[in-house]
Amino acid sequence: MAKILSGKTVSARVKEELKAEVAELQKNGKTTGLAVVLVGDDPASKVYVRNKEKACEETGIYSEMHRLPENTTEEELLALVDRLNADDKIDGILVQLPLPKHLDDSVIINNIRPDKDVDAFHPVNVGKIMIGDYDFLPCTPAGIMELIHESGVDVDGKECVVIGRSNIVGKPMSMLLLHENGTVTTCHSHTKNLKKITSRADILVAAVGIAKFVKGDMVKPGAVVIDVGMDRDENGKLCGDVDFEEVEPLAHAITPVPGGVGPMTVAMLMRNTVTASKKHMK
Ligand code: GUN
């Protein structure tokens, strides 16, 4: 029986701590504010944005939701980003991705002020993470590190395997594991002998986007298994990238879907917003 790494429990603890910090900042006259921008009506993005709004309410962070129509132009979106960049009430700006196809993610991200880039997607922040001298950590990988710590397993010297190399999860995840002295392998769609590589992982992170992709015979007994997936199985039921029924009996610790990585991502966004607020007070 694996230890279940509950993102619900850990994120609730983090949010309680942040609530106290937000209140302390407020006592000193500093409001903490987050602006979330959603363009279009992707159903999954709408749910994620709603969760972020709820977390702001729970932690006492002032939040502004900017819901823009699908046909918003680059010029209009950049004008909003500029306004938020200049707004002292706003410590953090998050533009929900993916953007509609006619908008270029990187053009928008590059125009967010790095000190308000609570996603840590701006090239300045990505570069800082690479050299280990950062203000913000990207939310999903940071949340995963918290869950790995919760497993009781020390990353130092461990074989860590990340499946996925996206800019949002896979690449920064590999970097954070490296910062804690893991021996890291990043796998992707061109990787040969995937099973052979994943089977040596003491810590396995699956960020593939394919339902139940990681089977029992791909996992080393006693491994810590982190599931970043938000997929649908053959019956339309929410599931992750890991086949939980097969993997849970042999893992040391595993994250559930839902209630694992998802709530941690939101909690880390709140943490980054509080970090930004503290910097802006100085
Ligand atoms: N879309 C999926 N995950 C994320 C995230 O962490 N931040 C933003 N901005 N968009 C996302």
Side-chain angles (χ1 to χ4, degrees), residues 9 35 70 76-77 96 115 177 182 207 213 217-218 237 248:
T9 307
E70 180 84 17
E76 287 166 333
L77 185 52
Q96 187 66 30
D115 61 301
L177 289 163
F213 179 82
D217 64 356
M218 296 167 71
K237 192 169 164 266
E248 185 272 336

Side-chain angles (χ1 to χ4, degrees), residues 89 91 95 103 121 181 183-184 233:
K89 281 199 310 300
D91 297 293
V95 178
L103 295 168
F121 290 168
N181 301 320
T183 300
V184 186
D233 70 8

Side-chain angles (χ1 to χ4, degrees), residues 90-102:
I90 298 302
D91 297 293
I93 302 169
L94 179 141
V95 178
Q96 187 66 30
L97 303 180
L99 287 166
K101 283 198 176 59
H102 66 281

Side-chain angles (χ1 to χ4, degrees), residues 45 48 52 94-98 119 121 139-140 168 265:
S45 290
Y48 296 147
K52 288 163 187 171
L94 179 141
V95 178
Q96 187 66 30
L97 303 180
D119 262 326
F121 290 168
C139 301
T140 300
I168 294 184
T265 298

